[in-house]
Amino acid sequence: MTSSNKTITVALAGNPNSGKTSLFNQLVHANQKVGNFSGVTVEKVEGVTKYKDYTIKIIDLPGTYSLSAYSPEEVLARNYIIENKPDVVINVIDATNFERNLFLSMQLIELDSKFLIALNMFDEVLKQGDKIKVKQLQTLLGSHVVPTSAKRRKGIEILLDHVVRVFHGEIIPQNKISYPQLIEENISKISEVLNTDKELSEKYPVRWLAIKLLENDKIIYKLVKESPIWIKVFKLLLDANSKIEVAFKDDSEIVITERRLSFIRGALQETLKKKQKTKLTNTEILDKILINKVTGIPIFLFFMWTLFQLVFKIGQYPMHWLESFFVWMGNGVSSLITNPTAESIIVDGIIGGVGGVLVFLPNIMLLFLGLAFFEGSGYMARSAFVVDRVMHFFGLHGKSAISMITGFGCSIPAFMSTRTLKSTGDRITTLLIIPFMSCGAKLPVFILIIGAFFNPDIAGNMLFAVYLFGIFVALFSAKFFKATLFKGESEPFVMELPTYRWPSLRSLLFQMWNKASLYLKKAATIILLASVLIWLGGNFPQDSLITKEYKNKIELIQQNSKFSDLEKEQKISILIAEEDGIQIKHSIIGKIGKAIEPVIKPLGFDWRIGISLVTGIAAKEIVISTMGTLYSIGNVESKNTVSLSEKLRNENNYNLATAISLLIFVLLYIPCIAASIVFHREAGKWKWTFVYIFYSMSIAWVLAFAGYQITSLFI
């Protein structure tokens, strides 16, 4: 057997909340890496596992409910299966809700791939007292079905054994799905013509293409239109749609969807036996409280408040340990390097910049651990359901809430998730308000400012208040946009509420580490580069007259016999720091900062905060690394390498009003460049990108100004 016969590529496909990620974690353990799918910003997670003498590479496709051309995840999942042709596709199905999951299964079967079903959470089905006739289901679907429980690691080896057998053709899936005769006849006619195009027929299953054309799939329409056979195909489509509409009183897309749903209902009748209910399930009991009209929103707010308390109160201990570590590292490096320039770039530039960002890693990890728990337990979907009623008052609905909550993690997937909104008005409005949801990258900035200027006893409350303030600004902005730019009713929607379950610790840690590793990667690349550039910009060019003046002062101290060696060293250190503090105003960074200072001075900011905010447009964490560098250069205390929060606290010009103003501005001004590019791509028109930049910058300035002026009245 050759080595190529020993390597198997497997794609995992399934609905959100089907336990797909948990199964992936069980299969690959720590042998995984995270990146993006080629050409898009959708996260790609892949890993490798060894089974017997096979190397099995597993790609975790994005969770989707179908394979239509409706969302980027759906298009990506089907394109991956068609274009990359994985050796085996495992469709992960939530066995407790497999009626909903089978809709995707039917579309995966039509892709004509080597297919296998993992009936996940099968143990929960048994626990509920329900029965699924697995062999009968297997016969109906024409594909092998393996009961699994990723959480309890059951069925994993059997699943891998089936993967090998499917790979070697010992198990051959059969498409058992058929449509009414009239539709089948038209599928055959269209497939016959498609088959004459060699390029198309070699790349795509022609029956699947024909079905997609009848479903009016825009991407497939565009694809076939480029083929010389399009005229023939188009005539057949017109004829088919006309006949189907007459025969079924509906268009072909609805008829095909209804046929799939009928098949699923029939399969359920034959394979699923539900236990007669004698009492409410745990999910039903919890839902009576958690999504109750009266208690739902207070409980949601309590959970969010608790999360931010934990982020701050538990996170402060490792954060202080890391601060002490970087102080110790700075002192150690200072004592080893004799060249002042080299010492400054390493201690002030790199350790001050990158270290200043890394100290917040524990807080970031706690935030993402909490969000992963909400999502994995099934509560995240319910939070969208709970706020749906509130969203209606502001002209939106729960689907927009899902995008907004996603924005707590990162604005990029939040922007992309708005594709599920059919109404253009709802979609653009949601895109415009997502920047006000505080993303994970802003969290370190908030912790830094709150830690420096607020009593530790109320720090968690302040952090919660910042997030709440962002939500309020987002909602009232939505009300404004819906009342002016996009008048009209929002579309109705149905929110799927998965069963509550305890997410496995492994899955939670995996998701938390995924986000943390991206944070570390950013610190080691973009932030490191930015720190060095900021240091260079803050140190060059230098004024020669100032250099000469301080050189003379240092020489005078060195020649003064009244001072001991220790006193000389201390006085010279102070003079060097003083010189750096003066020289930085003549540097590139200093000149740029001074140029923008008139615009930001009414907000209580000086030029150093201004420069930090400008660099934060590249990535919000760079606000901290820039501060770390700028407040080290020219700071007399920098030689003792005190923490950044202490340096901010010791600045004479900063006070509580400055902190409030800075919190508001960082919360509301535009996200990073990458997110802004994704916004433009999703909005599709420059005028919306202009509105996005102008509105977010204006509202940030106005509210930060108000916050500064009002707070100044009381201190």
Side-chain angles (χ1 to χ4, degrees), residues 208-219:
W208 178 77
L209 281 180
I211 294 170
K212 284 289 150 192
L213 286 169
L214 287 170
E215 284 186 285
N216 198 24
D217 186 299
K218 289 178 183 173
I219 292 178

Side-chain angles (χ1 to χ4, degrees), residues 106 109-110 140-141 174-185 187 207 211 255-256 258-264:
M106 296 188 67
I109 290 170
E110 285 173 343
L140 290 173
L141 295 177
Q174 295 176 335
N175 183 0
K176 298 281 186 78
I177 300 162
S178 62
Y179 296 97
Q181 187 179 352
L182 178 61
I183 293 181
E184 281 293 340
E185 285 173 3
I187 290 173
R207 177 181 167 83
I211 294 170
V255 176
I256 289 173
E258 178 54 36
R259 172 60 189 168
R260 288 180 182 142
L261 294 174
S262 299
F263 183 94
I264 292 169

